[in-house]
Amino acid sequence: MKKRYAKFIIFALVLLASAALVYTEPVPFKTHKVTVPLRFDYYYTYEMVVEALEKLHKAYPQLTELEIVGKSEEGRAIYCMTVNNPKTGKELDKPGIWVDGNIHGNEIQAGEVCLYLLDYLLGNYGVNKKITELVDKKCFYVVPVINTDGRYHFMTDGNNMHDNRSLRRPHDDDEDGLLDEDFPDDLDGDGNICMMRKKDPHGHWKTDPEDPRLMIRVKPGEKGEWNRIGAEGIDNDGDGRINEDAQGYVDPNRNWGYDWMPHYVQHGAGDYPFSGVGLKALGKYILARTNITMGWTFHNFGGLFVRGPSRKAWGSYAPEDEAVFDYLGDQGERIIPGYKHIISWKDMSETYGDEDGWMFMSIGAYCFTGELFMRSQESFKSIKEQKAAKPVGEGGMDFFSSNDSFERERLKFNDHLTQGELFVSWKPYKHPTYGDIEIGGWAKMSTRMPHPFMLKDMCHRNAAAIIFSAKQTPEVKLEVFGIKKVGQNLYRLRTRLKNSKAIPSMSNHARKVKLYPKDMLTVSGKGVKVKAGGRLNDRYRDQVTYKEYRPGIQFLFVPGFGKVEHQFLFSAQPGVSVTIKYNSRHAGKIRKTIKLK
Ligand SMILES: [Ca+2]
Ligand SMILES: [Ca+2]
Ligand SMILES: [Ca+2]
Ligand SMILES: [Ca+2]
Ligand SMILES: [Zn+2]
């Protein structure tokens, strides 16, 4: 053997040996059990969502309940999956976290976020310590698809990305006495409702010289080339108009019970609050779960965590409630870079009867509307180019519109990252009214949702934001201290209720408007007579605000990251047992018994 090969072999052996010294142990990385192989690389149909829920329930019967909350206008079941470990307590004795999605039928990825959260919580139970603890302490209510008809029709019918949002409650949009009689039509049968255009020298549009698939506006005086003639469709009812009365429109997110306004004030309102059979059932279902402390409702567009006030007239929330929203929202912005935490009326638009407003004002739960998709995810730019580009909202593309350069960039993304799946090329078509036209444009499965290759990342980050908020629901501990004999059969006892999390046991708003009874602290026992009891303001100087009547029952709340102390004076014989009970809607129940010496 040649000498230099021998040298090389020795060198290689030394390298291997040193590598073995460094990497003696594999990193202990445990992934969650794959009991139910849910996939997040394509979008589930309504039927697949139901199947996934049934499989999860079958795989984790001890931790889940699967209920039909109600049915849609077309009879499709709306499912809620409850994640609760009955071995660690009853549902209502734990802080509840409400999560829903797909209230707008076209906003399908919200359903995937919900499924991902369920799969992640259940699959990591008994595997990941933090998730196991969380599932043992809290209760999750998850409704992946509220608008079951909407999801069904969005996935099944020819569609564009914006339609089938509404509940299937017929509405006569054009006042011709017919209901939902003229909807867009998939004329070329490709599953997409695209745009129609017609060659016309008097049109306002011309072919974009940079990308012939796009059209740009002509300048004043310039000769036109194209006329845009709306979404794909024909005059179904022969009234001279095209696509003038599509299915619906009752907007399920404008019909919740707080600050509801009729259709002439709020577009999309039904005839009364909770219009819609499924929505009514959901309202009832939520109202019965008095432990709901935190809420998330997912929509599909903007990269936002939106929360109330939904209208300026509500005034601002109390600083204490603001602090909770800010704490959760700011952390959310870090968990999902690019997302913005905003206030609904101020940073977006005023809305009547929306869900997150109702959750906070009528239920007393802190609630965010999550707007999932960010268009910036479809950028086709290097980091250097991104830094040089105009930021969002400053002449760059914003949440609800885009400019020519952004559209060109999206087409490059379409070409090079999805091999053309997002855009339908223009094709000639013979239209019964317009004659020779072309049909083309962005596909149904584009613009408002990530391509499936980006879906899992979005689901995981949003699930992480929900989990962070769930961890911040109140965790109150009760300490009994300072027990002292202060007279003939007269005892003193002090209690401390301490909350180690950001969310208070009751929101400031809920307390202010007396939405429901405050937390209760009681001292009782056989032969125990509470003579005085009240809030201990200063333990060093023995200052107490005593309650005048029924001092054995105190009403209170425990602030976020805070504590509250009480003092009781009671008569009892030595050797008697005294029971101290704390009972809160959002912070659970605690019971302690002490024996007097
Ligand atoms: Ca009509
Ligand atoms: Ca089509
Ligand atoms: Ca018509
Ligand atoms: Ca009509
Ligand atoms: Zn929406």
Side-chain angles (χ1 to χ4, degrees), residues 478-481 483-484 489-495 521-532 551-553 567-582 590-597:
L478 168 67
E479 259 179 79
V480 181
F481 68 104
I483 303 164
K484 212 163 107 180
N489 293 336
L490 188 68
Y491 289 86
R492 186 196 77 180
L493 171 152
R494 287 172 169 180
T495 60
L521 178 69
T522 59
V523 171
S524 63
K526 218 175 167 192
V528 173
K529 252 195 136 116
V530 179
K531 302 284 185 192
I553 304 172
Q567 175 161 302
F568 296 90
L569 299 170
F570 56 94
S571 64
Q573 299 290 332
V576 153
S577 289
V578 184
T579 302
I580 301 101
K581 279 189 264 181
Y582 169 71
I590 314 171
R591 185 194 175 106
K592 273 198 175 169
T593 302
I594 51 142
K595 208 168 176 177
L596 294 176
K597 280 186 195 134

Side-chain angles (χ1 to χ4, degrees), residues 229-489:
I229 45 177
E232 222 178 309
I234 52 168
D235 182 5
N236 300 85
D237 62 336
D239 68 349
R241 281 174 291 184
I242 293 173
N243 304 341
E244 79 282 359
D245 191 350
Q247 294 91 344
Y249 195 88
V250 171
D251 185 331
N253 201 29
R254 301 291 181 270
N255 279 289
W256 295 78
Y258 187 79
D259 202 10
W260 179 91
M261 278 287 168
H263 194 72
Y264 64 85
V265 177
Q266 173 61 64
H267 176 72
D271 298 329
Y272 43 80
F274 291 106
S275 295
V277 287
L279 211 58
K280 192 174 167 187
L282 267 171
K284 254 179 107 174
Y285 190 87
I286 294 173
L287 279 164
R289 277 139 191 90
T290 50
N291 59 330
I292 295 172
T293 307
M294 183 71 222
W296 290 89
T297 168
F298 285 99
H299 293 241
N300 79 345
F301 193 73
L304 304 167
F305 292 134
V306 193
R307 46 88 165 189
S310 304
R311 297 205 316 109
K312 192 182 179 183
W314 297 2
S316 351
Y317 292 160
E320 192 188 323
D321 291 335
E322 284 285 322
V324 174
F325 278 116
D326 287 347
Y327 186 78
L328 301 175
D330 293 353
Q331 205 60 25
E333 286 182 355
R334 294 184 179 100
I335 293 171
I336 317 178
Y339 275 31
K340 279 196 164 63
H341 160 217
I342 66 166
I343 294 172
S344 178
W345 77 266
K346 211 197 276 176
D347 306 313
M348 209 156 87
S349 59
E350 290 208 305
T351 46
Y352 294 90
D354 61 54
E355 186 183 349
D356 76 66
W358 179 76
M359 288 289 274
F360 184 70
M361 300 300 266
S362 299
I363 300 299
Y366 296 92
C367 186
F368 284 102
T369 293
E371 290 283 2
L372 293 163
F373 183 54
M374 285 183 286
R375 275 186 164 191
S376 56
Q377 287 171 311
E378 289 184 346
S379 76
F380 192 72
K381 275 193 183 91
S382 67
I383 287 179
K384 203 174 151 192
E385 287 166 323
Q386 278 175 30
K387 279 183 182 156
K390 283 178 192 162
V392 168
E394 290 175 31
M397 105 31 227
D398 63 27
F399 301 131
F400 300 106
S401 68
S402 57
N403 55 32
D404 296 337
S405 69
F406 186 67
E407 290 291 286
R408 289 175 196 131
E409 195 181 325
R410 280 182 71 208
L411 277 176
K412 290 198 187 101
F413 178 91
N414 164 63
D415 294 339
H416 304 305
L417 280 107
T418 76
Q419 313 312 321
E421 284 180 282
L422 306 181
F423 192 89
V424 181
S425 295
W426 296 97
K427 276 181 214 78
Y429 184 81
K430 264 225 179 316
H431 192 274
T433 310
Y434 293 116
D436 285 322
I437 62 159
E438 285 188 5
I439 294 172
W442 294 103
K444 167 169 89 172
M445 302 295 269
S446 80
T447 314
R448 295 178 67 113
M449 70 192 78
H451 185 277
F453 87 83
M454 301 186 283
L455 178 62
K456 194 171 177 181
D457 183 84
M458 188 205 72
C459 288
H460 183 85
R461 286 183 186 275
N462 278 278
I466 299 165
I467 288 167
F468 180 83
S469 73
K471 283 184 191 165
Q472 292 308 324
T473 56
E475 272 178 41
V476 172
K477 290 222 157 62
L478 168 67
E479 259 179 79
V480 181
F481 68 104
I483 303 164
K484 212 163 107 180
K485 200 166 180 197
V486 289
Q488 181 74 26
N489 293 336

Side-chain angles (χ1 to χ4, degrees), residues 22-40:
V22 179
Y23 304 107
T24 45
E25 289 274 313
V27 181
F29 181 78
K30 289 183 185 171
T31 69
H32 85 293
K33 283 178 283 185
V34 189
T35 317
V36 180
L38 296 194
R39 289 181 62 169
F40 295 92

